[in-house]
Amino acid sequence: MTWHIKHFNELTTIELYRILQERTNIFVVEQNCPYPEVDGKDLQCYHLYRLENEQITAYARLLPAGIAYTQASIGRVIVPATHRGKGYAGELFARAIDFIQQELGETEIKIQAQEYLCPFYGSYGFEAISESYLEDGIPHVDMLLNQRLEPLGVS
């Protein structure tokens, strides 16, 4: 098992294919939401993922400030069904926050959370800044982290 973080320009075609395949499998097929998964933002983002036996077991897209919001953002957070319940989501999210704060130097991170995941994101210090709303037929809440956390020391 290996964690990777790469800017779009550093991804190989195989890595990009696997990322887009897993995102489509979860956001379009599993959640039954036909929408443009490839939205043009990937080109300016960092991609954090975990590989095990050449398969993506966790992934998040890290958006620098100014791409989706004035703040940095974390999006497209996934753990394929076969790898859920193993703690990968927590480690993924902690690594994402650490990278944005330590490497990008950002103190605010905004996310668009599926409503049922608000307690998970809240455990990392995110607070709801909107009422619940439907996005692609799924209840969402905008959340914001606006504090500097200590480095996690994860490698």
Side-chain angles (χ1 to χ4, degrees):
M1 73 178 166
T2 308
W3 285 96
H4 302 273
I5 187 157
K6 295 183 177 184
H7 191 272
F8 181 85
N9 295 335
E10 300 171 311
L11 294 170
T12 67
T13 55
I14 296 295
E15 290 167 327
L16 178 60
Y17 178 86
R18 288 182 178 145
I19 287 167
L20 294 176
Q21 181 180 41
E22 287 302 332
R23 285 182 8 191
T24 302
N25 285 343
I26 292 172
F27 294 121
V28 178
V29 178
E30 182 181 316
Q31 295 182 357
N32 194 26
C33 287
Y35 75 104
E37 170 52 27
V38 180
D39 61 4
K41 294 177 184 168
D42 290 305
L43 301 166
Q44 303 169 68
C45 296
Y46 292 89
H47 302 269
L48 172 62
Y49 59 98
R50 182 184 181 279
L51 282 179
E52 185 175 312
N53 299 321
E54 299 304 312
Q55 297 298 312
I56 290 178
T57 58
Y59 169 86
R61 179 169 77 173
L62 312 182
L63 298 89
I67 305 298
Y69 308 109
T70 56
Q71 306 92 344
S73 185
I74 302 168
R76 302 295 202 264
V77 177
I78 61 169
V79 175
T82 54
H83 298 284
R84 293 179 190 152
K86 299 178 182 180
Y88 298 159
E91 187 174 357
L92 172 74
F93 212 67
R95 286 175 180 272
I97 293 168
D98 190 55
F99 180 83
I100 289 172
Q101 292 180 333
Q102 302 306 315
E103 299 299 321
L104 300 183
E106 298 291 340
T107 57
E108 289 189 326
I109 303 171
K110 183 176 179 180
I111 61 173
Q112 186 182 42
Q114 290 187 9
E115 187 174 44
Y116 81 96
L117 290 169
C118 286
F120 171 77
Y121 296 126
S123 72
Y124 290 90
F126 282 81
E127 295 180 0
I129 58 169
S130 77
E131 297 296 321
S132 179
Y133 59 91
L134 289 180
E135 178 78 24
D136 298 316
I138 298 172
H140 281 75
V141 174
D142 290 342
M143 300 184 83
L144 185 68
L145 175 70
N146 61 3
Q147 60 186 0
R148 183 165 291 283
L149 300 177
E150 294 300 315
L152 298 174
V154 284
S155 57

